[in-house]
Amino acid sequence: MRFRKSLWLSIFVTLALSLGLGWVGAQAASKPAKADWQFHDIVSVSFVKQQVKIPTPDNVMIIDSRPYKPKYIKGHIPTAVNIPHSKFDQLKGKLPKDKDALLIFYCGGLK
């Protein structure tokens, strides 16, 4: 009888530990991983104004990530290229080949 109690106690402890460790692992897995990239800077309007030149320098690209219709066609920063966030994968070929180029994205913001 004593052996059975020890056996059941061992099984219960093992099961409780397994469930507890599984719950902790699931909690850790559900946390979003930290992004490998970060915004370098959030820039001011005056900084962007310094970059808006005609002709646009080869190492600078201003990207309007708003939808083409109705936002971009109603008005945009001169020299800005329209690459809507919803079509970024399809239009990423518009980005400069130079990986060191300065990319300035802007959008309509959250509403």
Side-chain angles (χ1 to χ4, degrees):
M1 188 72 162
R2 186 174 183 176
F3 175 73
R4 280 190 170 176
K5 283 185 179 180
S6 296
L7 178 65
W8 282 110
L9 182 60
S10 297
I11 290 172
F12 176 76
V13 168
T14 303
L15 183 60
L17 283 173
S18 298
L19 289 174
L21 291 175
W23 180 79
V24 169
Q27 292 297 319
S30 68
K31 291 181 182 177
K34 185 178 177 185
D36 292 336
W37 60 272
Q38 297 291 324
F39 289 111
H40 292 284
D41 289 307
I42 296 179
V43 298
S44 66
V45 172
S46 61
F47 177 83
V48 175
K49 283 182 179 179
Q50 293 171 8
Q51 307 309 316
V52 179
K53 298 176 185 170
I54 298 176
T56 306
D58 291 336
N59 61 344
V60 176
M61 181 178 233
I62 299 173
I63 301 161
D64 185 327
S65 60
R66 301 174 302 161
Y68 183 77
K69 289 183 179 177
K71 304 286 184 173
Y72 181 80
I73 60 173
K74 283 188 176 180
H76 55 274
I77 295 174
T79 73
V81 176
N82 183 238
I83 303 178
H85 73 281
S86 61
K87 296 184 180 185
F88 185 81
D89 288 337
Q90 298 149 352
L91 299 174
K92 63 186 174 189
K94 289 184 173 184
L95 295 173
K97 302 292 182 222
D98 180 7
K99 301 298 180 191
D100 292 326
L102 174 63
L103 302 178
I104 300 172
F105 286 83
Y106 72 93
C107 64
L110 299 174
K111 295 183 181 183

